[in-house]
Amino acid sequence: MDKNSISDRMNFHLAAIPRRVPSGLPIEALGHMPRKNDHLRRTFATVNFSCLLAGHGTYFWEGEHHRVEAPAVLTQWPGALMDYGPAGTWRELYLIYPAESEARFRSWGILRHDRPFWSLTTPGPFLDAVDDVLRCMVREPIEEEVDRLDRLAERVVLEAHLGASAPRRSPSEAIIVALRDAIDRGDPTLHDPEVEALRRGLSRTHFRRLWARIVGPPPARYLMERRLRQAARRLAEEDVTLATIAHDVGFDDPLYFSRRFKAAYGVSPGRYRERHRTALP
């Protein structure tokens, strides 16, 4: 979308408008500021995403000034003192959600104390999503667009999250990320992330602390869930034997694989395949 086609400031309060098809993440308000020039230093009662589309400025957080440059996303959440603003002017789309949405955004890893703002490595999908929101905002009456705006705004947040620049990692953090990525890729030779981390020089305490912060679920559970998920996908998509799939995802014993699979999904691997193969064209 040509940024000059929407040149005027637009602000909409949507909380009072009833939804016909509620999304579960109703947006409370949103606005477009082509030339924002004010610096804010305040706390908020809402969860906000300030989408920086052009220009640059500063974000003051925990005693440090950080330069922010478009495209980027700045977040605010209830009760935290936020201090940010443009150097001159910047172009911004802001999205405001009710306070009760904070827990959901945090559970998804989108709202984080250690990453209150971020730049985007792959901004294309994010900017496309922003353009869709802006197109919807100029249509009238706005009451007819509120359900679309809920979902379009959620897509902006999603694309901002998926397009985020990779955070800087310490060598120890990089080990954790590499082990997690190996599991996600389906490396069948990785049987115990903790043992591998110790081999690479981490202490057991350091490994467990970093793993909990970066990955979340305990290593054994994370490994098992990912392997069973990979197996479930292959059962539905491929015609290879159950024993082959079990071996390929890291199970030496097909019977043990079958027991764990049934405990996780409620049916045997063979029954799962029968049920889900019929759903494919």
Side-chain angles (χ1 to χ4, degrees):
M1 181 176 220
D2 181 359
K3 67 180 181 181
N4 295 319
S5 65
I6 296 182
S7 57
D8 296 329
R9 178 171 179 150
M10 296 184 294
N11 304 278
F12 296 106
H13 177 75
L14 306 178
I17 301 176
R19 271 62 169 178
R20 289 177 292 180
V21 188
S23 70
L25 264 180
I27 195 164
E28 188 169 291
L30 78 169
H32 176 244
M33 295 179 287
R35 292 171 295 277
K36 176 184 172 72
N37 60 10
D38 54 323
H39 191 105
L40 296 181
R41 189 175 189 275
R42 54 167 293 191
T43 59
F44 293 87
T46 52
V47 172
N48 311 330
F49 296 90
S50 296
C51 303
L52 180 54
L53 308 176
H56 68 276
T58 57
Y59 192 112
F60 187 75
W61 182 246
E62 295 192 333
E64 294 185 16
H65 276 96
H66 302 271
R67 176 184 170 89
V68 291
E69 186 168 359
V73 176
L74 290 65
T75 63
Q76 303 95 38
W77 56 82
L81 178 63
M82 300 297 177
D83 188 335
Y84 65 95
T89 64
W90 69 32
R91 180 171 173 245
E92 176 185 323
L93 171 74
Y94 66 82
L95 310 171
I96 299 178
Y97 287 91
E100 53 266 28
S101 69
E102 180 179 1
R104 180 173 295 187
F105 284 122
R106 289 199 183 279
S107 71
W108 291 338
I110 294 175
L111 205 64
R112 289 168 36 185
H113 184 89
D114 65 337
R115 192 194 66 173
F117 65 92
W118 65 90
S119 58
L120 287 101
T121 301
T122 54
F126 164 74
L127 295 175
D128 289 343
V130 168
D131 284 348
D132 287 342
V133 169
L134 295 177
R135 290 190 187 97
C136 195
M137 288 171 69
V138 299
R139 294 199 288 264
E140 294 182 356
I142 197 67
E143 288 80 2
E144 295 297 318
E145 302 299 325
V146 66
D147 289 290
R148 291 189 181 93
L149 283 169
D150 281 343
R151 287 162 174 81
L152 291 173
E154 186 176 345
R155 182 181 161 223
V156 169
V157 175
L158 170 66
E159 298 295 359
H161 180 56
L162 297 179
S165 302
R168 294 179 180 179
R169 301 289 191 186
S170 69
S172 296
E173 291 171 330
I175 292 173
I176 301 300
V177 172
L179 292 173
R180 181 200 63 193
D181 291 349
I183 293 172
D184 291 347
R185 288 194 307 270
D187 183 351
T189 66
L190 181 56
H191 296 291
D192 192 328
E194 183 171 320
V195 169
E196 182 61 26
L198 296 179
R199 189 184 70 78
R200 299 187 188 189
L202 294 186
S203 70
R204 183 169 279 103
T205 300
H206 196 196
F207 164 77
R208 291 176 178 174
R209 183 171 64 250
L210 288 179
W211 183 277
R213 176 165 62 81
I214 295 173
V215 183
R221 191 175 88 197
Y222 186 84
L223 179 65
M224 182 61 66
E225 288 175 350
R226 289 303 186 275
R227 287 184 169 176
L228 292 175
R229 186 183 303 172
Q230 292 154 11
R233 179 182 59 79
R234 293 190 60 187
L235 285 166
E237 295 175 358
E238 301 177 15
D239 289 325
V240 297
T241 67
L242 303 185
T244 297
I245 291 176
H247 177 269
D248 288 349
V249 301
F251 290 90
D252 295 328
D253 183 351
L255 293 178
Y256 177 67
F257 161 70
S258 294
R259 289 197 300 271
R260 295 306 301 257
F261 191 95
K262 186 172 183 179
Y265 292 99
V267 294
S268 68
R271 184 70 185 96
Y272 186 93
R273 167 174 272 172
E274 292 173 2
R275 178 179 297 173
H276 292 280
R277 285 289 291 177
T278 60
L280 296 178

